[in-house]
Amino acid sequence: MSGEQSEWLDALWFAACVAALVVLFAAALRLRVYGAGWRRWALRLGVIAVAVAAVLAANIAVYRHDAHLDFTREGAFTPSREAADIVRSLQEPVQLVYFYQKENAAGRAAVTMLELLGRLNPLLSVEIVDIDRNPARAGAFGVQLYNTAVIVAATHRVQVVSTDDREVALGILRALRRRQPVVCFATGHGEYDIDNFEFHTHFEGAQGHSHNSEGGAGVVQMEQHGLGRLRRAVEKLGLSPRKVELATGRPVPAECDALVDANPRTPHAPPEAHILGRYLRAGGSYMLLVEPDFAVEPALAGLLAEAGARIGAGVIVDPVDHYFTDEQMIAVTRYANHPVTRSQALSFYPGARPVEPVTGSGVKATALFASSPKSYVVSDRAHFREETATAERRSYPMAVAAEGKLPGGDGRPFRLMVVGDADFASNSFFPYLANADIALAGISWLLREDRLPTLKPPVEVLPQVTLTNAQVRWIFILTVILLPGAVALTGIGVWLWRRR
């Protein structure tokens, strides 16, 4: 029986027990005891005994089939959906021992969440230990810190210091891995560095230099930014990040389960395109994230077109679906049906170029998402208004996922993902909205793990409210026009009524 079915069964048991107690109470109010002497007392004792037995049976049933009810809108007392999915998907026994301090409120909350997770699947054994009362148990597991979860699977033991159930669920995923897949990040062409955690964003637009998004932005400069946050998320998923330099001319290492080339700044040489071609023909997985101003070398462009993706020139401008007031920061709310975009929410891309799918023999290519039908492409980001009148309006795909076999390839099919923007995965924009989900889902698909439960590692960010241009426009209409207008009309109506 699945965890979800067990939850429904527990809820039905709980409802049935409550209904039985209500019926018992109502019956007791109407029950009349007849007779006299010892018979009357015997009947009274019998009624009391039956009532006590019914109450005990109901309590035992409720205890064995306890239902958890959380009436908060945010689900504050319920484990996260991602953690619950991971626990429900367990196919082998996992032992989870959580060491906490009873006086710590966060620790007590984490204990409640873990106990609820333990009820979702009998294969997850949860043990709670107060480290102050049982230091010997902590010493046996080598635990020295409060709020530490020790996760023991068949072949691995993982320690997670956290009060977040999602972090513990990530630890379960790491403990279940038989091997650690290697995600290689290409270097040698000025790509974003996975050791760089800088995330300060500079905007350069027609209105001058700014450190935020006020007034819109024509150009986003992020030369010193990196992929440190993406790398940290990859490590939390139990993957091993590694740097690989393509400029040396050596083949892509065989241990690279996926190769990520994020924001190359200098063109690839023709021999490097041949290296990538051999890698794809051998069944490799390749992700290319390119900025609008990147010049694609012809040999690489030919290889990508053969593999199912054609990178276009220019910058997409979308006057309908964009973030805040910047029409070049494309907001995406609709996705194609693909494992990478499954159940994804709003994501945004600060400066994107078109990427079209190419139909080929033995290759299946899918456009993952696109701009609105009223968008257009310009060549000059800073003076795009001058090209607005003559530009063609249509929907432009911005990302393509392709898989299949290239001519001369053997073995398993390759997988390719090309996105016409690299900034969405950088430190500045990675944690916000669904950007991290898209990047991590793409890596999971490249690793052929797209059927596994997905979980985005928590990333600490400042709280903020993110709105699309349409949402901002409706808020303006409601608060500046409709509400004041309604008040004015009401006042005029009252004034006219009193004059009569």
Side-chain angles (χ1 to χ4, degrees):
M1 181 181 297
S2 67
E4 188 173 353
Q5 292 174 332
S6 178
E7 283 184 348
W8 279 106
L9 182 61
D10 291 344
L12 290 176
W13 268 101
F14 179 80
C17 291
V18 171
L21 292 176
V22 171
V23 171
L24 182 63
F25 178 76
L29 293 177
R30 296 176 175 271
L31 182 64
R32 294 182 179 181
V33 179
Y34 299 95
W38 65 271
R39 289 188 178 88
R40 186 180 183 88
W41 284 105
L43 288 173
R44 287 180 175 178
L45 292 175
V47 170
I48 294 173
V50 171
V52 170
V55 172
L56 289 176
N59 278 276
I60 293 173
V62 171
Y63 177 78
R64 292 176 61 87
H65 301 277
D66 191 14
H68 174 71
L69 301 177
D70 186 355
F71 294 101
T72 61
R73 184 180 62 180
E74 299 81 5
F77 304 101
T78 303
S80 64
R81 177 185 57 82
E82 299 91 343
D85 290 343
I86 289 176
V87 172
R88 291 192 183 101
S89 67
L90 291 178
Q91 301 295 326
E92 60 181 84
V94 174
Q95 180 187 10
L96 194 159
V97 185
Y98 191 75
F99 297 89
Y100 80 114
Q101 186 185 35
K102 190 175 182 180
E103 288 73 21
N104 183 270
R108 293 196 305 270
V111 166
T112 301
M113 297 297 182
L114 296 179
E115 289 176 339
L116 292 173
L117 286 175
R119 289 160 46 182
L120 298 179
N121 195 327
L123 293 176
L124 178 63
S125 172
V126 179
E127 178 185 354
I128 306 301
V129 178
D130 187 342
I131 198 170
D132 292 334
R133 296 186 178 184
N134 197 347
R137 184 68 169 160
F141 282 91
V143 174
Q144 300 178 348
L145 300 174
Y146 294 120
N147 303 326
T148 299
V150 179
I151 304 162
V152 182
T155 57
H156 294 85
R157 174 186 291 187
V158 175
Q159 281 194 14
V160 179
V161 182
S162 178
T163 57
D164 191 332
D165 62 323
R166 295 175 298 170
E167 295 275 10
V168 177
L170 287 170
I172 293 176
L173 285 181
R174 293 199 299 271
L176 291 174
R177 288 191 181 276
R178 295 292 182 267
R179 60 178 292 272
Q180 194 174 37
V182 178
V183 180
C184 295
F185 290 85
T187 63
H189 294 281
E191 290 90 348
Y192 282 154
D193 190 358
I194 61 175
D195 295 327
N196 189 336
F197 288 89
E198 294 292 333
F199 58 89
H200 183 60
T201 306
H202 297 269
F203 292 85
E204 296 287 347
Q207 301 183 17
H209 182 86
S210 175
H211 286 194
N212 51 40
S213 57
E214 61 187 25
V219 179
V220 182
Q221 294 185 337
M222 304 175 62
E223 292 86 355
Q224 297 182 356
H225 293 204
L227 296 179
R229 283 177 162 174
L230 175 59
R231 170 201 169 182
R232 186 172 292 169
V234 164
E235 291 174 336
K236 288 184 177 181
L237 288 173
L239 310 175
S240 177
R242 174 182 170 184
K243 293 182 181 181
V244 172
E245 188 172 1
L246 293 179
T248 59
R250 291 194 295 266
V252 178
E255 59 267 23
C256 290
D257 296 288
L259 176 64
V260 179
D261 197 355
N263 192 26
R265 309 308 301 160
T266 58
H268 297 76
E272 296 174 64
H274 298 314
I275 292 173
L276 292 173
R278 289 199 300 269
Y279 177 67
L280 292 178
R281 286 182 175 87
S285 298
Y286 181 48
M287 176 186 288
L288 177 61
L289 311 179
V290 292
E291 284 293 292
D293 56 350
F294 173 67
V296 184
E297 195 271 330
L300 178 60
L303 172 64
L304 295 176
E306 189 179 15
R310 178 179 294 111
I311 301 176
V315 184
I316 300 175
V317 179
D318 194 335
V320 176
D321 293 333
H322 55 267
Y323 172 74
F324 201 56
T325 60
D326 188 354
E327 296 182 2
Q328 296 182 26
M329 190 173 291
I330 313 299
V332 175
T333 57
R334 296 175 296 275
Y335 302 91
N337 184 18
H338 193 272
V340 174
T341 55
R342 183 173 51 202
S343 301
Q344 297 290 8
L346 172 69
S347 59
F348 67 99
Y349 303 84
R353 65 194 299 173
V355 180
E356 305 274 351
V358 179
T359 303
S361 176
V363 175
K364 178 183 178 182
T366 303
L368 299 179
F369 47 84
S371 59
S372 75
K374 294 186 178 180
S375 60
Y376 54 95
V377 173
V378 298
S379 58
D380 190 345
R381 303 183 67 174
H383 304 89
F384 70 96
R385 299 290 184 188
E386 301 173 2
E387 304 180 48
T388 301
T390 58
E392 178 187 4
R393 260 70 171 178
R394 67 178 179 89
S395 178
Y396 289 89
M398 296 184 292
V400 169
E403 59 182 322
K405 292 185 178 181
L406 295 175
D410 54 358
R412 67 177 184 176
F414 73 87
R415 285 193 172 184
L416 170 71
M417 180 174 172
V418 181
V419 183
D421 177 56
D423 291 340
F424 84 98
S426 69
N427 295 331
S428 292
F429 303 106
F430 175 78
Y432 299 105
L433 302 180
N435 285 15
D437 296 320
I438 295 293
L440 294 176
I443 292 177
S444 297
W445 180 73
L446 293 177
L447 295 173
R448 293 167 171 82
E449 294 184 349
D450 45 287
R451 295 184 180 273
L452 298 180
T454 58
L455 176 59
K456 179 180 71 174
V459 181
E460 295 297 330
V461 295
L462 295 176
Q464 67 170 10
V465 176
T466 306
L467 302 174
T468 64
N469 180 65
Q471 293 169 331
V472 172
R473 183 169 58 251
W474 278 110
I475 290 175
F476 173 81
I477 293 173
L478 179 64
T479 59
V480 179
I481 300 176
L482 295 183
L483 288 180
V487 173
L489 290 176
T490 302
I492 294 173
V494 171
W495 178 73
L496 292 175
W497 179 76
R498 287 183 174 182
R499 289 196 62 186
R500 290 191 305 173

